[in-house]
């Protein structure tokens, strides 16, 4: 290092002289470093069980799934050595007659659940913002919906969606003569299940949005009001920009949940009629656990997993950014 | 020395199940008093995978009562063993209906002690109003459908879910016209699909049938919403307690090739981890496969005996509601025994549902079905 390099330039902080950079025993900086190290070690000890559980409980199955998706795995050799077969499982998956329908269904399903959940969740949060008794009651009701087991929700809605079910009876009372095949008509089935999935997701989104809305400083809203901003302008120019990180996080979580949605489809339509409401995770289940085509089922699951993983990484990144901005 | 055998099953934990197991244990212990029988419950949807896993680890059961359509797959995974050495010289084997013995070549994979069959439940009140008698052929049924609809109810409730449940309802219509998994490319496949799809279009069969299993079809019929329902013998008890109308049962209406349904219910297999396979076979012979054991099952759980002598027992023949089902036992059709059959069954259920709902044209669904099954079975 040349001597010139240690000469401070105007407006800059000079690096400490080399002899002062070496911390000695008793030096407060050295004490801080060892304290940081101890803390780091402590943190690692506390993190270890979680890392171990995740590694064994999630990491190992994921690696096995990947391995399976690139191997010839049938019922005969499920517990024996698997022979690699390259991309054969992915090719077989793509050549299934229902694959194209299933991919389109999955994208449509996710899109409807995402738009429905975020929009209605936000409207619900805005409606429930006032601290009224009725809003507390509605919130409690929504939480109840959220925690209901999918098998209960699916069965309930299935009966309501039947040709002679509650909804068609209400529509008939309103003058609609032909019952709608909510789950039996191939043009309706997927959207009906998506609507129920949205209905289940809304409470979570509403609760999160409400918490974020309550965090918006009241002064900002008052200032906007004094400046003559309308409610729509306040929402568009102040509330939504401030909610953006939360909106993104909720959106990512909704997409992840919708993408791996299986239970409601299983209970309500069994993927039908025909293949009208089958999605990629449902197809993966059918292939692996009903048809014993483990390799191809693993390929379907891997595709789902990759999409969810990309979204999960996005979620973590957004969460970090939100944390930093907070 | 006291030995024990473990039998896996997925029967619901109920007083009836406990009564049945107690009756079977008593029959077995009368000859083998020192052998303890443990009935181990395994959830239905976990049974195959648990059998596969435990078979490989050598920790599986001595025997299992489960869906025998998976027997070929389990045999190829060495989760169960060939029963032939233990039953081929058994004099009573000739008493068991052939369709109840699941074979692969010379190997005996599983034997059913009882079958669940589909029949046609009918609402007598509706049929009387329509002025018709229970249909015995598809042609008769076809002719009755407009009259039944005119009464103001669904003419027929059938299962049409795109799963193995849906296939259980669909397959008899194909068998009745001489179509099996081996000749699906026949034009008759399209005819059968087109006929049923037309029934939906004409409003004789409700649209919801495209997502119904047998349970949902029966639930609609028992409410008085339909004249006929294609449903199983296991619903006789519910019909007795819940029907608010007069009703009866006839066999599946016969097509050009006769009346054939396919047997459901559980099969008995010997696990590959069995310490004493001969003893496990003895257990099955003395319980699930014996006349007394099958009649006990009939009384307690309603399953139809697969033994010819048990089928002729007065408790079966004198029961007017059970007799049509019992009469079907000798004519039951069977699917090809193949480890891939469960895949083919789902393909058929899916095509049936697609045609009923209009997702695919009957010819399109028939084409997809034939090509999918050909690809699967090759």
């Amino acid at each position: 290092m040349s001597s010139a390099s240690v000469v401070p330039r105007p407006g800059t902080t000079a690096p400490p002289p080399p002899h002062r950079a070496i911390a000695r025993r008793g030096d407060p900086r050295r004490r801080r470093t060892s304290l940081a190290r101890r803390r780091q070690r402590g943190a690692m000890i506390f993190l270890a069980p979680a890392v171990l559980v995740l590694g064994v409980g999630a990491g190992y199955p994921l690696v096995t799934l990947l391995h399976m998706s690139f191997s010839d795995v049938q019922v005969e050799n499920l517990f024996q050595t698997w022979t690699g077969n390259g991309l054969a499982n992915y090719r077989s998956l793509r050549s299934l007659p229902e694959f194209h329908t299933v991919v389109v269904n999955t994208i449509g399903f996710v899109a409807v659940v995402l738009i429905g959940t975020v929009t209605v969740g936000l409207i619900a949060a805005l409606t429930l913002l006032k601290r009224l008794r009725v809003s507390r009651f509605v919130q409690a009701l929504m939480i109840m919906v959220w925690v209901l087991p999918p098998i209960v929700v699916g069965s309930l809605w299935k009966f309501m969606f039947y040709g002679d079910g509650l909804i068609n009876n209400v529509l008939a009372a309103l003058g609609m003569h032909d019952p709608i095949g909510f789950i039996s008509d191939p043009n309706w089935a997927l959207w009906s299940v998506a609507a129920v999935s949205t209905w289940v997701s809304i409470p979570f989104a509403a609760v999160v949005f409400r918490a974020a809305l309550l965090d918006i400083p009241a002064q900002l809203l008052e200032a906007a009001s004094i400046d003559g901003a309308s409610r729509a302008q306040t929402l568009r120019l102040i509330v939504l920009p401030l909610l953006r990180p939360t909106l993104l996080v909720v959106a990512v979580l909704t997409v992840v949940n919708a993408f791996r949605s299986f239970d409601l489809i299983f209970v309500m339509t069994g993927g039908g009629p025909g293949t009208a409401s089958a999605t990629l995770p449902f197809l993966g289940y059918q292939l692996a656990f009903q048809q014993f085509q483990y390799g191809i089922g693993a390929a379907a699951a891997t595709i789902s997993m990759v999409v969810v993983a990309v979204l999960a990484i996005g979620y973590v990144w957004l969460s970090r950014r939100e944390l930093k901005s907070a | 020395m006291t030995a024990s055998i473990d039998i896996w099953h997925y029967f619901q934990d109920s007083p009836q199940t406990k009564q049945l197991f107690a009756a079977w244990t008593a029959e077995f212990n009368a000859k083998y008093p020192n052998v303890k029988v443990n009935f181990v419950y395994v959830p239905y949807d976990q049974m195959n995978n648990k059998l596969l896993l435990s078979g490989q680890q050598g920790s599986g059961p001595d025997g299992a009562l489960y869906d025998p359509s998976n027997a070929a797959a389990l045999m190829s995974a060495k989760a169960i063993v060939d029963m032939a050495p233990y039953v081929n010289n058994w004099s009573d084997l000739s008493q068991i209906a052939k369709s109840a013995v699941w074979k692969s070549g010379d190997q005996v994979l599983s034997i059913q002690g009882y079958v669940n069959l589909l029949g046609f439940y009918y609402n007598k009140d509706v049929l009387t109003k329509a002025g018709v008698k229970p249909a015995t052929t598809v042609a008769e049924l076809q002719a009755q459908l407009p009259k039944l609809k005119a009464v103001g109810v669904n003419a027929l409730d059938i299962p049409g879910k795109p799963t193995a449940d849906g296939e259980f309802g669909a397959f008899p219509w194909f068998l009745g016209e001489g179509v099996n998994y081996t000749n699906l490319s026949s034009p008759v496949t399209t005819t059968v699909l087109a006929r049923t799809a037309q029934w939906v279009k004409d409003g004789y069969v409700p649209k919801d049938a495209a997502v119904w299993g047998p349970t949902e079809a029966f639930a609609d019929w028992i409410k008085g919403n339909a004249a006929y329902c294609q449903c199983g013998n296991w619903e006789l008890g519910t019909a007795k307690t819940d029907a608010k109308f007069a009703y009866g049962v006839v066999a599946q209406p016969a097509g050009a090739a006769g009346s054939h349904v396919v047997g459901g219910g559980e099969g008995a297999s010997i696990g590959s981890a069995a310490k004493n396979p001969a003893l496990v076979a003895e257990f099955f012979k003395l319980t699930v496969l014996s006349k007394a054991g099958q009649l006990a099952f009939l009384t307690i759980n309603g399953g139809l005996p697969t033994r010819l002598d048990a089928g002729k027992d007065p408790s079966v023949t004198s029961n007017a509601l059970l007799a049509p089902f019992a009469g079907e036992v000798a004519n039951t059709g069977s699917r090809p025994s193949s480890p891939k059959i469960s895949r083919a069954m789902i393909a058929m259920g899916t095509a049936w549902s697609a045609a009923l709902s209009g997702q695919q044209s009957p010819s399109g669904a028939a084409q997809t079905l034939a090509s999918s099954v050909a690809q699967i079975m090759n």
Side-chain angles (χ1 to χ4, degrees):
Chain A
M1 188 185 282
S2 70
S3 59
S5 67
V6 295
V7 177
R9 280 182 287 127
T12 61
T13 307
H19 68 277
R20 287 186 60 196
I22 300 164
R24 299 219 170 90
R25 192 178 291 276
D27 186 322
R29 274 182 303 120
R30 187 188 164 102
R31 276 208 303 273
R32 273 203 298 276
T33 311
S34 76
L35 186 67
R37 275 197 193 133
R38 276 209 304 275
R39 276 187 180 159
Q40 208 170 15
R41 210 176 301 139
M44 282 172 77
I45 289 168
F46 282 110
L47 271 175
V51 170
L52 193 72
V53 167
L54 267 177
V56 175
Y60 175 73
L62 285 180
V63 171
T64 308
L65 179 76
L66 272 174
H67 180 200
M68 191 181 257
S69 78
F70 292 107
S71 308
D72 179 21
V73 188
Q74 307 289 330
V75 73
E76 297 87 352
N77 68 337
L78 180 60
F79 299 104
Q80 292 160 18
T81 312
W82 301 338
T83 318
N85 63 355
L87 293 169
N89 291 329
Y90 291 88
R91 277 195 288 269
S92 300
L93 180 68
R94 206 182 57 186
S95 69
L96 290 175
E98 64 268 40
F99 182 69
H100 180 253
T101 310
V102 164
V103 170
V104 172
N105 283 353
T106 310
I107 294 168
F109 185 88
V110 171
V112 167
V113 175
L114 171 67
I115 295 166
T117 303
V118 171
T119 311
V120 183
L122 186 58
I123 293 169
L126 287 165
T127 314
L128 296 171
L129 205 53
K130 288 186 180 159
R131 295 173 196 270
L132 301 173
R133 193 173 289 177
V134 68
S135 68
R136 279 200 291 270
F137 174 73
V138 173
Q139 276 183 75
L141 211 65
M142 288 173 87
I143 298 284
M144 209 177 78
V145 167
W146 187 35
V147 298
L148 277 175
I151 192 160
V152 174
V153 174
S155 303
L156 194 79
W157 278 97
K158 183 171 76 170
F159 290 117
M160 290 203 290
F161 276 149
Y162 276 156
D164 60 350
L166 180 71
I167 297 173
N168 270 312
N169 277 324
V170 170
L171 292 174
L174 294 172
M176 197 167 197
H177 296 297
D178 289 330
I180 296 173
F182 286 108
I183 53 171
S184 59
D185 186 325
N187 299 316
W188 277 88
L190 182 74
W191 313 124
S192 300
V193 184
V196 177
S197 186
T198 306
W199 183 76
V200 176
S201 311
I202 285 169
F204 169 73
V207 167
V208 175
F209 284 146
R210 188 174 179 274
L213 284 168
L214 288 171
D215 262 1
I216 296 176
Q219 301 93 312
L220 270 178
L221 302 173
E222 278 168 22
S225 174
I226 291 164
D227 286 348
S230 66
R231 291 182 78 176
Q233 281 174 320
T234 309
L235 180 68
R236 190 166 56 87
L237 300 170
I238 296 176
V239 175
L240 287 182
L242 287 172
L243 272 187
R244 207 179 57 176
T246 313
L247 274 167
L248 283 171
V249 168
V250 169
V252 170
L253 284 178
T254 305
V255 170
V256 169
N257 273 326
F259 200 87
R260 60 189 182 86
S261 180
F262 161 80
D263 32 27
L264 287 173
I265 295 168
F266 181 77
V267 174
M268 290 177 70
T269 61
T275 53
S277 61
T279 57
L280 209 48
F282 185 82
L283 180 68
Y285 164 80
Q286 267 196 331
L287 289 165
F289 297 110
Q290 292 185 331
Q291 304 182 21
F292 304 119
Q293 294 190 86
Y294 296 101
I296 308 175
T302 301
I303 293 174
S304 306
M305 189 194 73
V306 167
V307 174
V308 170
V310 167
L311 293 168
I313 290 165
Y315 166 68
V316 171
W317 181 74
L318 285 171
S319 303
R320 277 192 175 176
R321 210 176 66 165
E322 195 189 10
L323 208 68
K324 275 182 189 166
S325 69
Chain B
M1 192 178 80
T2 304
S4 72
I5 53 173
D6 291 343
I7 305 294
W8 283 11
H9 69 94
Y10 46 68
F11 295 173
Q12 209 173 8
D13 184 23
S14 67
Q16 287 89 343
T17 301
K18 284 183 181 130
Q19 194 188 344
L20 175 73
F21 289 163
W24 280 353
T25 305
E27 280 176 46
F28 179 64
N29 283 157
K31 192 169 177 185
Y32 297 94
N34 294 326
V35 181
K36 191 172 183 300
V37 183
N38 302 312
F39 290 97
V40 181
Y41 173 78
V42 176
Y44 173 79
D45 52 356
Q46 295 175 22
M47 180 63 92
N48 290 327
N49 290 305
K50 285 207 167 193
L51 280 172
L52 283 170
L53 182 66
S54 61
Q56 290 292 321
Q57 295 172 337
S59 60
D62 295 289
L65 293 165
Y66 66 105
D67 179 359
S69 65
N70 295 313
L74 291 172
M75 177 62 96
S76 60
K78 298 184 175 63
I80 57 173
V81 297
D82 181 14
M83 294 174 83
Y86 313 105
V87 297
N88 274 354
N89 295 324
W90 180 41
S91 59
D92 278 14
L93 188 62
S94 58
Q95 286 289 338
I96 309 271
K98 278 186 182 168
S99 59
V101 182
W102 291 71
K103 295 179 93 169
S104 174
D106 291 333
Q107 290 183 320
V108 176
L109 313 178
S110 188
I111 307 178
Q112 286 183 256
Y114 57 90
V115 282
N116 286 326
L117 299 174
L118 292 180
F120 254 52
Y121 286 69
Y122 60 88
N123 182 323
K124 268 186 194 168
D125 300 345
V126 173
L127 263 61
T128 307
K129 274 187 201 165
V132 298
K133 287 185 174 172
T136 55
T137 64
V138 175
E140 280 177 24
L141 178 69
Q142 179 85 52
Q144 289 180 5
L145 294 174
K147 294 176 192 169
L148 295 167
K149 189 190 170 190
V151 176
V153 294
N154 296 324
L156 172 62
D157 282 349
I158 53 172
K161 210 174 182 177
T163 58
D165 262 2
E167 187 266 0
F168 191 53
F171 195 38
W173 298 102
F174 290 103
L175 282 173
E177 304 299 339
V179 178
N180 203 320
Y181 281 94
T182 46
N183 60 341
L184 284 168
S185 54
S186 150
V188 184
T189 307
T190 304
T191 310
V192 174
L193 288 170
R195 183 178 68 198
T196 321
Q198 193 60 45
W199 290 350
V200 178
K201 272 188 189 163
D202 293 340
Y204 303 142
V205 172
K207 286 179 184 170
D208 288 337
V211 287
W212 276 350
T215 310
E216 286 92 347
F218 180 79
D220 190 63
W221 177 82
I222 200 75
K223 287 190 281 183
N225 289 349
Y228 287 110
C229 175
Q230 187 198 26
C231 204
N233 55 288
W234 64 90
E235 300 286 14
L236 282 173
T238 312
K240 193 175 175 184
T241 53
D242 293 6
K244 304 280 187 291
F245 48 82
Y247 66 93
V249 182
V250 285
Q252 167 87 14
S259 168
H260 304 285
V261 289
V262 65
E266 285 66 48
S269 291
I270 301 174
S272 57
K275 295 169 283 293
N276 187 346
L279 183 66
V280 183
E282 272 294 289
F283 169 78
F284 287 138
K285 287 178 196 171
L286 291 167
T287 58
V288 191
L289 306 177
S290 75
K291 184 181 174 186
Q294 294 197 0
L295 290 176
F297 193 88
L298 170 72
T299 313
I300 298 166
N301 273 29
L304 287 156
T306 53
R307 286 179 68 107
L308 304 178
D309 51 1
K312 288 174 189 158
D313 191 83
S315 60
V316 179
T317 54
S318 62
N319 185 331
L321 293 173
L322 204 57
F325 291 113
E328 288 178 323
V329 174
N331 297 320
T332 48
S334 55
R335 308 175 184 98
S337 183
S338 158
K340 297 169 180 171
I341 196 64
S342 49
R343 289 168 59 187
M345 285 163 67
I346 290 172
M348 179 174 282
T350 305
W352 184 249
S353 175
L356 259 62
S357 66
Q359 193 202 16
Q360 275 190 294
S361 68
S363 58
Q367 212 174 348
T368 309
L369 173 61
S371 60
S372 299
V373 170
Q375 200 183 352
I376 289 165
M377 300 304 250
N378 282 336

